[in-house]
Amino acid sequence: MQLLVNIDHVATLRNARGEGYPDPVEAAEICENAGAAGVVFHLRGDRRHIRDDDVYRLKKSVQGILDFEMAATDEMITICREIEPELCTLVPEGREELTTEGGLNMKTVFEDYKNRVFPAFKDTDIKLSLFLDPNPTDIELAHELGTHAIELHTGTFANAPDEESRQKELDRLKKGAELIHDAGMIVNAGHGLNLDNLPILIREVPHLHDISIGHALISKALYLGLEKTVKEYIRIMNA
Ligand code: PXP
């Protein structure tokens, strides 16, 4: 199991003042030096946080895993092919959303992914990961497409209003992880994870590989510092 830090919020803070700092590339370096296996960035169509220039600089500076999170538009596919990250996580993207609001609906995107998206990556070494809710049907369709990994959406678990619904979602995540693993795919997870709910997820859900964390980690770093915060997350993951 390894930590990938989502650095989008560093760019959000930078953009709030139109200054050159804080720099997401510098933040990525601190995260890696503190032991993170790599970083995630989401280049959105509206460029609200990470910008094209950040992506090219990250490509040059990140030593570990670079996970390019994006919507599967032709524009993003072209940039991603040029950057050649180790991993590309495909997500749904809505203009009005504050953050990614759920996994891909595989029934809706299947034909497009089969005919346009997956073929566009065929001649590259980029590994594809699909961001999905833990629905068996979505997972089976993703497998049919030949995806390398599935990132399980943990937001419903993280934001569960009570213990019963949290346990129900944990059971779904557990079954989903088993299904993904048994089908020979890599199990990643992310969304809404923090120092309190991460130990519960890790205890209950098997086969976890990359854990992608942004908002809570960057927020905590305001008080604790980025290096210490990354180390604290890694300590929990190794405990
Ligand atoms: N994984 C995906 C696919 C995401 O869209 C996000 C949010 O950008 C994350 C993980 C990280 O979520 P959070 O910021 O809540 O830790």
Side-chain angles (χ1 to χ4, degrees), residues 6 8-9 40 42 44 49 67 69 89-92 99-101 131 151-154 189-194 211-217:
N6 180 312
D8 295 348
H9 286 307
V40 188
H42 183 175
R44 298 185 73 104
H49 34 60
D67 179 0
E69 182 188 328
T89 301
L90 298 170
V91 299
T99 180
T100 315
E101 282 173 352
F131 186 53
E151 180 178 332
L152 285 171
H153 175 229
T154 51
H191 218 282
L193 297 174
N194 57 39
I211 309 280
S212 162
I213 306 180
H215 185 72
L217 190 155

Side-chain angles (χ1 to χ4, degrees), residues 173-188:
L173 287 165
K174 190 175 166 183
K175 286 190 187 115
E178 275 161 358
L179 203 57
I180 296 166
H181 177 78
D182 289 350
M185 297 177 284
I186 299 292
V187 186
N188 297 335

Side-chain angles (χ1 to χ4, degrees), residues 25 58 68 72 74 90 129 131 135 139 180 198 218 226 237:
V25 180
L58 284 165
F68 191 147
D74 288 341
L90 298 170
S129 175
F131 186 53
N135 299 322
I139 292 168
I180 296 166
L198 185 59
I218 300 297
L226 191 51
M237 287 168 64

Side-chain angles (χ1 to χ4, degrees), residues 66-117:
L66 194 58
D67 179 0
F68 191 147
E69 182 188 328
M70 59 180 229
T73 60
D74 288 341
E75 181 198 22
M76 287 303 149
I77 291 172
T78 303
I79 299 171
C80 188
R81 282 179 52 94
E82 207 182 320
I83 295 294
E84 285 194 274
E86 174 157 350
L87 193 66
C88 171
T89 301
L90 298 170
V91 299
E93 191 173 294
R95 220 158 236 292
E96 303 300 325
E97 68 189 6
L98 293 176
T99 180
T100 315
E101 282 173 352
L104 292 159
N105 181 334
M106 288 310 299
K107 271 193 199 147
T108 312
V109 302
F110 185 83
E111 284 304 317
D112 182 38
Y113 273 41
K114 187 176 163 202
N115 298 320
R116 180 183 63 92
V117 182

Side-chain angles (χ1 to χ4, degrees), residues 38 52 157 182 217 235:
D52 298 51
F157 150 73
D182 289 350
L217 190 155
R235 190 188 65 76

